[in-house]
Amino acid sequence: MGEKKLMKGNEALAEGAVRAGCRFFAGYPITPQNEVPEYMSWRLPEVGGAFIQAESEVSAINMIYGAAGTGTRCMTSSSSPGISLKQEGLSYCAGADLPLLIANMMRGGPGLGNIAGCQGDYWQATRGGGHGDYRLYVVAPNSVNELANLPRKCYEVAFKYRIPSMILADGTIGQMMEPVEYKEEPIDVSKLEKPEWAIGVNHEHRAKRRITSYDLTEGGLEIMVNDRIKRYKAIEENEVMFEEKMTEDADMIVVAFGTPSRVATAAIKMLREKGIKAGLFRPITLWPFPYKQIQALAKRVKKFVSVETSMGQMVEDVRLALNGTAETHLYCKVGAAVLTAEEVAAALEEIHNGSTKYAAVK
Amino acid sequence: MYQGIRIAGFGGQGVISAGVLIAQAGIIDGKEVSFFPAYGAEMRGGTANCSVVVSDEEVTTPIVSRPDTVIVMNEPSLAKFEPMVKPGGVLIINTSLVNSKPTRTDVRIVNVPCNDIADNEIGNPKTLNMVMLGAFAKATGAITLESVKAALPKVYKKLAKKPEVLALNEKAFLAGANAVK
């Protein structure tokens, strides 16, 4: 469909969300995601949508809480410290079963950290982040093109299962420019049906509706949460996405997402030139995590390496997937340091040769 | 074909713009490309650099750690980026502003007085990065004048209506190319 357009990740994400039907955005500036609100500020009015620069991240996520309650496709975005500020609101949205899109262009942390790309928010994203029993549908693109096309999938899953969805990308993906090709025509929002739970719409001839994260009747909350857990199980069953590269003949599998998955691909190609058969497993959904798919690989492959730009966060999910059936190793860089293909290749070679420097994580 | 490039200089020299133009020219040539800028508190007069990849195959790492070509536009960038060049690669130096001499003997050194050419030969200091791109194209063959000409109005929409500015950029590009021996 059309020619490939050179786009910055953040702008490609914003355009992708608009094409996927987003008509309300609220956010507060923070590097390295500022191009998202900047783009939305002129783009949304063009399509009859609304953009608000809120007075804070807390305010922005609570505007999303309201907008999502009307069944409108809405979005907020931020980077690590700003995402932390949004956690209370996100927990309320999850508790009220609201579909929405939130993007985190991760930077170095904790605290103020720095503005370079990093993956230290993996635990926060995949374990909920806010209080209470809940999940987010979390996807992790590794290219501008994938980032551009993911909002559509996020809204589909979010509305089908009534769950907030999150795009978790490192700042590098947001800042880089690559060719983009939108796979599908823009959604005509006038043809989207308003959900049967949405408030502020279809007032006539219907019972009152309520958007809430609580039920104070005896046993009410238990019923609410259990109903949600059923939907989480369905998501785990139906919505896992992943990519495998060069795994067919591999005797060592690198597990990586986002930018590190690309650095790892370069490293794997270097190793293959030396005759070392490594392969790449890339989770695209971080929740639901592709546990079964990694388990299946472990029938044949006995060495797995999690490559991350965090202190060893995703490696815990790899260990859960393998459950002792294969070695789990870790190679990581922290503090938003740049991961190079040369150093990843050197570490992978040592691990392949049985060096104890990157000993198996137990 | 795989060409990993690092361009470094002062903010305001057009280092970032040149990187975007290489990437756009690559798309026009049917290549896979990526562009990654150093971002954040960048400002005119501060330091700026970017990574660009133009390749026949999928681009793996967008941050180029072992560039085939490094373009050094100011003095401090030489010390920082010279060691990164792949053995057998190309090091393009803007000798108008870089007084130090490179020490590498395993790379091809291309000296181009970019500022002098832009200021004196072209008569417009803003064409500095086009002089640099011309030299890069001649030294590496990674992009062509045709693809850069087509890329300019795609990156800078207003240029489509300013043929005289496009002509000036073309002149600067060719002057840069001619400066490469």
Side-chain angles (χ1 to χ4, degrees), chain A residues 203-288:
Chain A
H203 301 86
E204 318 284 308
H205 317 299
R206 66 160 168 84
K208 282 185 179 174
R209 293 170 178 170
R210 204 162 66 110
I211 299 289
T212 178
S213 66
Y214 67 88
D215 185 338
L216 297 180
T217 59
E218 184 77 26
L221 183 63
E222 186 183 11
I223 293 167
M224 271 178 93
V225 178
N226 271 325
D227 173 67
R228 202 168 294 134
I229 291 170
K230 270 186 212 154
R231 281 178 279 130
Y232 291 163
K233 295 249 186 271
I235 295 172
E236 287 175 320
E237 209 54 51
N238 306 324
E239 303 296 346
V240 171
M241 293 194 291
F242 62 95
E243 181 191 25
E244 288 184 40
K245 269 186 185 166
M246 300 172 274
T247 51
E248 302 81 12
D249 61 344
D251 57 10
M252 179 168 81
I253 302 276
V254 179
V255 186
F257 71 96
T259 300
S261 71
R262 296 176 55 155
V263 179
T265 302
I268 289 166
K269 285 180 177 172
M270 290 177 188
L271 292 186
R272 283 194 168 251
E273 280 175 18
K274 290 183 167 183
I276 297 174
K277 287 176 182 165
L280 176 78
F281 185 93
R282 175 170 77 95
I284 298 173
T285 50
L286 299 182
W287 192 85

Coordinates of all heavy atoms in Angstrom, one line a residue, chain A residues 203-288:
Chain A
H203 N -28.2 7.2 25.1 CA -29.0 7.4 26.4 C -30.4 6.8 26.4 O -30.9 6.3 27.4 CB -29.1 8.8 26.8 CG -27.8 9.5 26.9 ND1 -27.1 10.1 25.8 CD2 -27.0 9.7 28.0 CE1 -26.0 10.6 26.2 NE2 -25.9 10.4 27.5
E204 N -31.0 6.8 25.2 CA -32.4 6.4 25.1 C -32.6 4.9 25.4 O -31.8 4.1 24.9 CB -32.9 6.7 23.7 CG -32.5 8.1 23.2 CD -33.2 9.2 23.8 OE1 -34.5 9.2 23.8 OE2 -32.6 10.2 24.3
H205 N -33.7 4.6 26.0 CA -34.2 3.2 26.1 C -33.1 2.2 26.6 O -32.9 1.2 26.0 CB -34.7 2.7 24.8 CG -35.6 3.7 24.1 ND1 -36.8 4.2 24.6 CD2 -35.4 4.4 22.9 CE1 -37.3 5.0 23.8 NE2 -36.5 5.2 22.8
R206 N -32.4 2.6 27.6 CA -31.5 1.6 28.1 C -31.4 1.8 29.6 O -31.6 2.9 30.1 CB -30.1 1.6 27.5 CG -29.3 2.9 27.7 CD -27.8 2.6 27.4 NE -27.0 3.9 27.4 CZ -26.5 4.5 28.5 NH1 -26.8 4.0 29.7 NH2 -25.8 5.5 28.3
A207 N -30.9 0.7 30.3 CA -30.7 0.9 31.8 C -29.5 1.8 32.0 O -28.6 1.9 31.1 CB -30.4 -0.5 32.3
K208 N -29.4 2.3 33.2 CA -28.2 3.2 33.6 C -27.0 2.3 33.5 O -26.9 1.1 33.8 CB -28.4 3.7 35.0 CG -29.4 4.9 35.1 CD -29.4 5.4 36.5 CE -30.3 6.6 36.6 NZ -30.5 7.1 37.9
R209 N -25.8 3.0 33.1 CA -24.5 2.3 33.1 C -23.6 3.0 34.1 O -23.8 4.2 34.4 CB -23.9 2.4 31.7 CG -24.7 1.6 30.7 CD -24.3 1.8 29.3 NE -25.0 1.0 28.3 CZ -24.9 1.1 27.0 NH1 -24.1 2.1 26.5 NH2 -25.6 0.4 26.2
R210 N -22.6 2.2 34.6 CA -21.7 2.8 35.6 C -20.3 2.3 35.2 O -20.1 1.1 34.9 CB -22.1 2.2 36.9 CG -21.7 3.1 38.1 CD -22.5 2.7 39.3 NE -22.2 1.3 39.7 CZ -21.5 1.0 40.9 NH1 -21.1 1.9 41.7 NH2 -21.3 -0.3 41.2
I211 N -19.4 3.2 35.2 CA -17.9 2.9 35.1 C -17.3 3.0 36.5 O -17.3 4.1 37.0 CB -17.2 3.8 34.1 CG1 -17.8 3.8 32.7 CG2 -15.7 3.5 34.1 CD1 -17.6 2.5 31.9
T212 N -16.8 1.9 37.0 CA -16.3 1.9 38.3 C -15.3 0.8 38.5 O -15.3 -0.2 37.9 CB -17.4 1.8 39.4 OG1 -16.8 1.8 40.7 CG2 -18.2 0.5 39.2
S213 N -14.4 1.0 39.5 CA -13.4 0.0 39.7 C -13.7 -0.8 41.0 O -12.9 -1.6 41.5 CB -12.0 0.6 39.8 OG -11.9 1.4 41.0
Y214 N -14.9 -0.5 41.6 CA -15.2 -1.1 42.9 C -16.6 -1.7 42.9 O -17.4 -1.2 42.2 CB -14.9 -0.2 44.1 CG -15.9 1.0 44.1 CD1 -17.1 0.9 44.8 CD2 -15.5 2.2 43.5 CE1 -17.9 2.0 44.9 CE2 -16.4 3.3 43.6 CZ -17.6 3.2 44.2 OH -18.4 4.2 44.3
D215 N -16.8 -2.6 43.9 CA -18.1 -3.1 44.1 C -18.2 -3.4 45.6 O -17.5 -4.3 46.1 CB -18.4 -4.4 43.3 CG -19.9 -4.8 43.5 OD1 -20.5 -4.5 44.5 OD2 -20.4 -5.6 42.6
L216 N -18.9 -2.6 46.4 CA -18.9 -2.7 47.8 C -19.9 -3.7 48.4 O -20.0 -3.9 49.6 CB -19.1 -1.4 48.5 CG -18.0 -0.3 48.1 CD1 -18.3 1.0 48.8 CD2 -16.6 -0.8 48.6
T217 N -20.7 -4.4 47.5 CA -21.6 -5.4 48.0 C -20.8 -6.6 48.5 O -19.7 -6.8 48.0 CB -22.6 -5.8 46.9 OG1 -21.9 -6.3 45.8 CG2 -23.5 -4.6 46.4
E218 N -21.4 -7.4 49.3 CA -20.8 -8.6 49.8 C -20.3 -9.5 48.7 O -21.1 -10.0 47.9 CB -21.8 -9.4 50.7 CG -21.3 -10.6 51.4 CD -20.4 -10.2 52.7 OE1 -20.6 -9.1 53.2 OE2 -19.5 -11.0 53.0
G219 N -19.0 -9.7 48.6 CA -18.5 -10.6 47.6 C -18.5 -10.0 46.2 O -18.1 -10.7 45.2
G220 N -18.9 -8.8 46.0 CA -19.0 -8.2 44.7 C -17.6 -8.0 44.0 O -17.5 -8.3 42.8
L221 N -16.6 -7.6 44.8 CA -15.3 -7.4 44.2 C -14.7 -8.7 43.7 O -14.1 -8.8 42.6 CB -14.4 -6.7 45.1 CG -13.0 -6.3 44.6 CD1 -13.1 -5.3 43.4 CD2 -12.1 -5.8 45.7
E222 N -14.9 -9.7 44.5 CA -14.4 -11.1 44.1 C -15.0 -11.5 42.7 O -14.2 -12.0 41.9 CB -14.8 -12.1 45.2 CG -14.1 -13.5 44.9 CD -14.5 -14.5 45.9 OE1 -15.5 -14.3 46.7 OE2 -13.9 -15.6 45.9
I223 N -16.3 -11.2 42.5 CA -16.9 -11.6 41.3 C -16.3 -10.8 40.1 O -16.0 -11.3 39.1 CB -18.4 -11.4 41.3 CG1 -19.0 -12.4 42.3 CG2 -19.1 -11.5 40.0 CD1 -20.5 -12.1 42.7
M224 N -16.1 -9.5 40.4 CA -15.5 -8.6 39.4 C -14.1 -9.1 38.9 O -13.8 -9.2 37.8 CB -15.3 -7.2 39.9 CG -16.5 -6.2 39.7 SD -16.1 -4.6 40.5 CE -15.5 -3.7 39.1
V225 N -13.3 -9.4 39.9 CA -11.9 -9.7 39.6 C -11.9 -11.1 39.0 O -11.1 -11.3 38.0 CB -11.0 -9.7 40.9 CG1 -9.6 -10.2 40.6 CG2 -11.0 -8.3 41.5
N226 N -12.7 -12.0 39.4 CA -12.7 -13.4 38.8 C -13.2 -13.3 37.3 O -12.7 -14.0 36.5 CB -13.7 -14.3 39.6 CG -12.9 -15.0 40.7 OD1 -11.7 -15.4 40.5 ND2 -13.5 -15.3 41.8
D227 N -14.1 -12.4 37.1 CA -14.6 -12.2 35.7 C -13.4 -11.7 34.8 O -13.2 -12.2 33.7 CB -15.7 -11.2 35.6 CG -16.1 -10.9 34.2 OD1 -16.6 -11.8 33.5 OD2 -15.8 -9.7 33.7
R228 N -12.6 -10.8 35.4 CA -11.4 -10.3 34.7 C -10.4 -11.4 34.5 O -9.8 -11.5 33.4 CB -10.9 -9.2 35.6 CG -10.0 -8.2 34.8 CD -9.7 -7.0 35.7 NE -10.9 -6.2 36.0 CZ -11.3 -5.8 37.2 NH1 -10.5 -6.0 38.3 NH2 -12.4 -5.2 37.4
I229 N -10.2 -12.2 35.5 CA -9.2 -13.3 35.3 C -9.6 -14.2 34.2 O -8.7 -14.7 33.5 CB -9.1 -14.1 36.7 CG1 -8.4 -13.2 37.7 CG2 -8.2 -15.4 36.5 CD1 -8.4 -13.7 39.1
K230 N -10.9 -14.5 34.0 CA -11.3 -15.3 32.9 C -10.8 -14.7 31.5 O -10.4 -15.4 30.6 CB -12.8 -15.4 32.9 CG -13.4 -16.6 33.6 CD -14.9 -16.7 33.4 CE -15.5 -17.2 34.7 NZ -16.9 -16.8 34.8
R231 N -11.0 -13.4 31.4 CA -10.6 -12.7 30.2 C -9.0 -12.8 30.1 O -8.5 -12.9 29.0 CB -11.1 -11.3 30.2 CG -12.6 -11.2 29.8 CD -13.1 -9.8 29.8 NE -13.5 -9.4 31.2 CZ -13.1 -8.3 31.8 NH1 -12.3 -7.4 31.1 NH2 -13.5 -8.0 33.0
Y232 N -8.3 -12.7 31.2 CA -6.9 -12.8 31.1 C -6.4 -14.1 30.6 O -5.5 -14.3 29.8 CB -6.3 -12.5 32.5 CG -6.4 -11.1 33.0 CD1 -6.2 -10.8 34.4 CD2 -6.6 -10.0 32.2 CE1 -6.3 -9.5 34.9 CE2 -6.7 -8.7 32.7 CZ -6.6 -8.5 34.0 OH -6.7 -7.2 34.5
K233 N -7.2 -15.2 31.1 CA -6.8 -16.5 30.6 C -7.0 -16.6 29.1 O -6.2 -17.2 28.4 CB -7.7 -17.6 31.3 CG -7.4 -17.7 32.8 CD -6.8 -19.0 33.1 CE -6.7 -19.2 34.6 NZ -5.4 -18.7 35.2
A234 N -8.1 -16.0 28.6 CA -8.4 -16.1 27.2 C -7.3 -15.3 26.4 O -6.9 -15.8 25.3 CB -9.8 -15.4 26.9
I235 N -6.8 -14.2 26.9 CA -5.8 -13.5 26.3 C -4.5 -14.3 26.2 O -3.8 -14.4 25.2 CB -5.5 -12.1 27.0 CG1 -6.7 -11.2 26.9 CG2 -4.2 -11.5 26.4 CD1 -6.6 -9.9 27.7
E236 N -4.2 -15.0 27.3 CA -3.0 -15.9 27.3 C -3.1 -17.0 26.3 O -2.2 -17.4 25.7 CB -2.8 -16.5 28.7 CG -2.3 -15.5 29.8 CD -2.3 -16.1 31.2 OE1 -3.2 -16.8 31.6 OE2 -1.3 -15.8 31.9
E237 N -4.4 -17.4 26.1 CA -4.6 -18.5 25.1 C -4.5 -18.0 23.7 O -4.0 -18.7 22.8 CB -6.0 -19.1 25.4 CG -6.3 -20.5 25.1 CD -5.2 -21.4 25.7 OE1 -5.0 -21.4 26.9 OE2 -4.6 -22.2 25.0
N238 N -5.0 -16.8 23.4 CA -5.3 -16.4 22.0 C -4.3 -15.3 21.5 O -4.3 -15.1 20.3 CB -6.7 -15.9 21.9 CG -7.7 -16.9 22.4 OD1 -7.6 -18.1 22.2 ND2 -8.8 -16.4 23.0
E239 N -3.7 -14.6 22.3 CA -3.1 -13.3 21.9 C -1.5 -13.3 22.0 O -1.0 -12.2 21.9 CB -3.7 -12.1 22.6 CG -5.2 -12.0 22.5 CD -5.7 -11.8 21.1 OE1 -4.9 -11.5 20.2 OE2 -6.9 -12.0 20.8
V240 N -0.9 -14.4 22.1 CA 0.6 -14.4 22.2 C 1.2 -14.1 20.8 O 0.7 -14.6 19.8 CB 1.1 -15.7 22.7 CG1 2.6 -15.8 22.6 CG2 0.7 -16.0 24.1
M241 N 2.1 -13.2 20.8 CA 2.8 -12.9 19.5 C 4.3 -13.0 19.7 O 4.8 -12.6 20.8 CB 2.5 -11.5 19.0 CG 1.1 -11.3 18.5 SD 0.8 -9.8 17.6 CE 1.1 -8.5 18.8
F242 N 5.0 -13.6 18.8 CA 6.5 -13.7 18.9 C 7.1 -13.9 17.5 O 6.4 -14.1 16.5 CB 6.8 -14.9 19.7 CG 6.4 -16.2 19.1 CD1 7.2 -17.0 18.4 CD2 5.1 -16.7 19.3 CE1 6.8 -18.2 17.8 CE2 4.6 -17.8 18.8 CZ 5.4 -18.6 18.0
E243 N 8.4 -13.8 17.4 CA 9.1 -14.0 16.2 C 10.3 -14.9 16.4 O 11.0 -14.7 17.4 CB 9.6 -12.7 15.6 CG 10.3 -12.8 14.2 CD 10.9 -11.5 13.8 OE1 11.3 -10.7 14.6 OE2 11.1 -11.4 12.6
E244 N 10.6 -15.8 15.5 CA 11.8 -16.6 15.6 C 12.7 -16.4 14.4 O 12.2 -16.3 13.3 CB 11.4 -18.1 15.7 CG 10.8 -18.6 17.0 CD 10.6 -20.1 17.0 OE1 11.4 -20.8 16.6 OE2 9.5 -20.4 17.5
K245 N 14.0 -16.3 14.6 CA 14.9 -16.2 13.5 C 16.1 -17.2 13.7 O 16.7 -17.2 14.7 CB 15.5 -14.8 13.5 CG 14.7 -13.8 12.7 CD 15.5 -12.5 12.6 CE 14.6 -11.4 11.9 NZ 15.1 -10.1 12.1
M246 N 16.3 -17.9 12.6 CA 17.5 -18.8 12.6 C 17.4 -19.8 13.8 O 18.5 -20.2 14.3 CB 18.8 -18.0 12.7 CG 19.0 -17.1 11.5 SD 20.4 -16.0 11.6 CE 19.8 -14.6 12.6
T247 N 16.2 -20.2 14.2 CA 16.1 -21.1 15.3 C 16.1 -22.6 14.9 O 16.3 -23.5 15.7 CB 14.8 -20.9 16.2 OG1 13.7 -20.9 15.3 CG2 14.9 -19.6 16.9
E248 N 15.8 -22.9 13.6 CA 15.6 -24.2 13.1 C 16.8 -25.2 13.5 O 16.5 -26.3 14.0 CB 15.4 -24.3 11.6 CG 14.3 -23.5 11.1 CD 14.6 -22.0 10.9 OE1 15.8 -21.7 11.0 OE2 13.7 -21.2 10.7
D249 N 18.0 -24.7 13.3 CA 19.1 -25.6 13.5 C 20.0 -25.1 14.7 O 21.1 -25.5 15.0 CB 20.0 -25.6 12.3 CG 20.6 -24.2 12.0 OD1 20.0 -23.2 12.5 OD2 21.5 -24.1 11.2
A250 N 19.4 -24.2 15.5 CA 20.2 -23.5 16.6 C 20.4 -24.5 17.8 O 19.6 -25.3 18.1 CB 19.4 -22.3 17.1
D251 N 21.6 -24.3 18.4 CA 21.9 -25.0 19.6 C 22.0 -24.1 20.8 O 22.3 -24.4 21.9 CB 23.1 -25.9 19.5 CG 24.3 -25.2 19.1 OD1 24.3 -23.9 19.2 OD2 25.4 -25.8 18.8
M252 N 21.7 -22.8 20.5 CA 21.7 -21.8 21.6 C 20.7 -20.7 21.1 O 20.7 -20.3 20.0 CB 23.0 -21.1 21.8 CG 23.1 -20.1 22.9 SD 24.8 -19.6 23.3 CE 25.1 -18.5 22.0
I253 N 19.7 -20.4 22.0 CA 18.7 -19.4 21.7 C 18.9 -18.1 22.5 O 19.0 -18.1 23.7 CB 17.3 -20.0 22.0 CG1 17.1 -21.3 21.2 CG2 16.2 -18.9 21.7 CD1 16.6 -21.1 19.8
V254 N 18.9 -17.0 21.8 CA 18.9 -15.7 22.4 C 17.5 -15.2 22.5 O 16.8 -15.2 21.5 CB 19.8 -14.7 21.6 CG1 19.8 -13.3 22.3 CG2 21.2 -15.2 21.4
V255 N 17.1 -14.8 23.7 CA 15.7 -14.2 23.9 C 15.9 -12.7 24.1 O 16.7 -12.3 25.0 CB 15.0 -14.9 25.1 CG1 13.6 -14.3 25.1 CG2 15.0 -16.4 25.0
A256 N 15.3 -11.9 23.3 CA 15.5 -10.5 23.4 C 14.3 -9.8 22.7 O 13.7 -10.3 21.8 CB 16.8 -10.0 22.7
F257 N 13.9 -8.6 23.2 CA 12.8 -7.8 22.6 C 13.3 -6.4 22.4 O 14.4 -6.0 22.9 CB 11.6 -7.8 23.5 CG 11.7 -7.0 24.8 CD1 11.2 -5.7 24.8 CD2 12.3 -7.6 25.9 CE1 11.3 -5.0 26.0 CE2 12.4 -6.8 27.1 CZ 11.9 -5.5 27.1
G258 N 12.6 -5.7 21.6 CA 12.9 -4.3 21.3 C 14.3 -4.1 20.6 O 14.8 -5.1 19.9
T259 N 15.0 -3.0 20.8 CA 16.2 -2.7 20.2 C 17.3 -3.8 20.4 O 18.0 -4.3 19.5 CB 16.8 -1.4 20.6 OG1 15.8 -0.3 20.2 CG2 18.1 -1.1 19.9
P260 N 17.4 -4.4 21.7 CA 18.4 -5.4 21.9 C 18.1 -6.6 21.0 O 19.1 -7.4 20.6 CB 18.2 -5.8 23.4 CG 17.7 -4.5 24.0 CD 16.8 -3.9 22.9
S261 N 16.9 -6.9 20.5 CA 16.7 -8.0 19.7 C 17.3 -7.8 18.3 O 17.7 -8.8 17.6 CB 15.2 -8.3 19.5 OG 14.6 -7.3 18.7
R262 N 17.5 -6.6 17.9 CA 18.1 -6.3 16.6 C 19.7 -6.3 16.8 O 20.3 -6.9 15.9 CB 17.7 -4.9 16.1 CG 16.2 -4.9 15.8 CD 15.8 -3.5 15.4 NE 16.5 -2.9 14.3 CZ 16.0 -2.0 13.5 NH1 14.7 -1.6 13.7 NH2 16.7 -1.5 12.5
V263 N 20.1 -5.9 17.9 CA 21.6 -6.0 18.2 C 21.9 -7.5 18.3 O 23.0 -7.9 17.7 CB 21.9 -5.2 19.5 CG1 23.4 -5.4 19.8 CG2 21.6 -3.8 19.4
A264 N 21.1 -8.2 18.9 CA 21.3 -9.7 19.1 C 21.3 -10.3 17.7 O 22.1 -11.3 17.5 CB 20.2 -10.3 20.0
T265 N 20.4 -9.9 16.8 CA 20.4 -10.5 15.4 C 21.7 -10.3 14.7 O 22.3 -11.2 14.1 CB 19.3 -9.8 14.6 OG1 18.0 -10.1 15.3 CG2 19.2 -10.5 13.2
A266 N 22.3 -9.0 14.9 CA 23.6 -8.8 14.3 C 24.7 -9.7 14.9 O 25.5 -10.2 14.2 CB 24.0 -7.3 14.5
A267 N 24.6 -9.8 16.2 CA 25.6 -10.7 16.9 C 25.4 -12.1 16.5 O 26.4 -12.8 16.3 CB 25.3 -10.6 18.5
I268 N 24.2 -12.6 16.3 CA 24.0 -14.0 15.9 C 24.5 -14.3 14.5 O 25.2 -15.3 14.3 CB 22.4 -14.3 16.0 CG1 22.0 -14.4 17.4 CG2 22.1 -15.6 15.2 CD1 20.5 -14.4 17.6
K269 N 24.4 -13.3 13.7 CA 24.9 -13.4 12.3 C 26.5 -13.5 12.4 O 27.1 -14.3 11.6 CB 24.5 -12.2 11.4 CG 23.0 -12.3 11.0 CD 22.6 -11.2 10.1 CE 21.2 -11.3 9.6 NZ 20.7 -10.1 8.9
M270 N 27.1 -12.7 13.3 CA 28.5 -12.8 13.4 C 28.9 -14.2 13.9 O 29.9 -14.8 13.4 CB 29.0 -11.8 14.5 CG 28.9 -10.3 14.0 SD 29.5 -9.3 15.4 CE 29.1 -7.7 14.8
L271 N 28.2 -14.7 14.9 CA 28.5 -16.0 15.4 C 28.4 -17.1 14.3 O 29.2 -18.1 14.3 CB 27.6 -16.4 16.6 CG 27.8 -15.6 17.9 CD1 26.9 -16.1 19.0 CD2 29.2 -15.6 18.3
R272 N 27.3 -17.0 13.5 CA 27.1 -18.0 12.5 C 28.2 -18.0 11.5 O 28.5 -19.1 10.9 CB 25.7 -17.8 11.8 CG 24.6 -18.2 12.7 CD 23.3 -18.4 12.0 NE 22.4 -19.1 12.9 CZ 21.9 -20.4 12.7 NH1 22.3 -21.0 11.6 NH2 21.1 -21.0 13.6
E273 N 28.9 -16.8 11.3 CA 30.0 -16.8 10.4 C 31.2 -17.6 10.9 O 32.0 -18.1 10.2 CB 30.5 -15.4 10.1 CG 29.6 -14.7 9.0 CD 29.9 -13.2 8.8 OE1 31.0 -12.8 9.2 OE2 29.0 -12.6 8.3
K274 N 31.2 -17.8 12.3 CA 32.2 -18.6 13.0 C 31.8 -20.0 13.1 O 32.4 -20.8 13.8 CB 32.5 -18.0 14.3 CG 33.2 -16.6 14.3 CD 33.5 -16.2 15.8 CE 34.5 -15.1 15.8 NZ 34.8 -14.7 17.2
G275 N 30.6 -20.3 12.7 CA 30.1 -21.7 12.8 C 29.3 -22.0 14.0 O 29.0 -23.1 14.3
I276 N 29.0 -21.0 14.8 CA 28.2 -21.2 16.0 C 26.8 -21.0 15.7 O 26.4 -19.9 15.2 CB 28.6 -20.2 17.2 CG1 30.1 -20.5 17.6 CG2 27.7 -20.3 18.4 CD1 30.7 -19.5 18.6
K277 N 26.0 -22.0 15.9 CA 24.6 -21.9 15.5 C 23.7 -21.4 16.6 O 23.1 -22.1 17.4 CB 24.1 -23.3 15.1 CG 24.7 -23.8 13.8 CD 24.3 -25.2 13.4 CE 24.9 -25.6 12.1 NZ 24.8 -27.1 12.0
A278 N 23.6 -20.1 16.6 CA 22.7 -19.4 17.5 C 21.4 -19.0 16.8 O 21.4 -18.8 15.6 CB 23.4 -18.2 18.2
G279 N 20.4 -18.8 17.5 CA 19.1 -18.3 16.9 C 18.5 -17.3 17.9 O 18.9 -17.1 19.0
L280 N 17.4 -16.6 17.3 CA 16.8 -15.5 18.1 C 15.3 -15.9 18.3 O 14.6 -16.3 17.4 CB 16.8 -14.2 17.4 CG 16.1 -13.0 18.0 CD1 16.9 -12.5 19.2 CD2 15.7 -11.9 17.0
F281 N 14.9 -15.8 19.6 CA 13.5 -15.8 19.9 C 13.1 -14.4 20.4 O 13.6 -13.9 21.4 CB 13.2 -16.9 21.0 CG 11.7 -17.0 21.2 CD1 11.0 -18.0 20.6 CD2 11.0 -16.2 22.1 CE1 9.6 -18.1 20.8 CE2 9.7 -16.3 22.4 CZ 9.0 -17.3 21.7
R282 N 12.1 -13.8 19.7 CA 11.7 -12.4 20.1 C 10.3 -12.4 20.6 O 9.4 -12.5 19.8 CB 11.9 -11.5 19.0 CG 11.4 -10.0 19.3 CD 11.8 -9.1 18.2 NE 11.0 -9.2 17.0 CZ 9.9 -8.4 16.7 NH1 9.5 -7.5 17.6 NH2 9.3 -8.5 15.6
P283 N 10.0 -12.2 21.9 CA 8.7 -12.0 22.3 C 8.2 -10.7 21.8 O 8.9 -9.7 21.9 CB 8.8 -12.0 23.9 CG 10.1 -12.5 24.2 CD 11.0 -12.2 23.0
I284 N 7.0 -10.7 21.1 CA 6.4 -9.4 20.7 C 5.4 -9.0 21.8 O 5.3 -7.8 22.2 CB 5.7 -9.5 19.3 CG1 6.8 -9.9 18.3 CG2 5.0 -8.2 18.9 CD1 6.3 -10.2 16.9
T285 N 4.6 -10.0 22.3 CA 3.8 -9.7 23.5 C 4.6 -10.0 24.7 O 5.2 -11.1 24.8 CB 2.5 -10.5 23.5 OG1 2.8 -11.9 23.3 CG2 1.5 -10.0 22.5
L286 N 4.8 -9.1 25.6 CA 5.5 -9.3 26.8 C 4.6 -9.8 27.9 O 4.9 -10.6 28.8 CB 6.2 -8.1 27.3 CG 7.3 -7.5 26.3 CD1 7.9 -6.3 26.9 CD2 8.3 -8.6 25.9
W287 N 3.3 -9.4 27.9 CA 2.2 -10.1 28.5 C 1.1 -10.1 27.6 O 0.6 -9.1 27.1 CB 1.7 -9.4 29.8 CG 0.8 -10.4 30.5 CD1 1.3 -11.5 31.3 CD2 -0.6 -10.6 30.3 NE1 0.2 -12.2 31.6 CE2 -1.0 -11.7 31.0 CE3 -1.5 -9.9 29.6 CZ2 -2.3 -12.2 31.1 CZ3 -2.9 -10.3 29.6 CH2 -3.2 -11.5 30.4
P288 N 0.6 -11.2 27.1 CA 1.0 -12.6 27.6 C 2.4 -12.9 27.1 O 2.7 -12.8 25.9 CB -0.1 -13.5 27.0 CG -0.6 -12.8 25.9 CD -0.5 -11.3 26.2

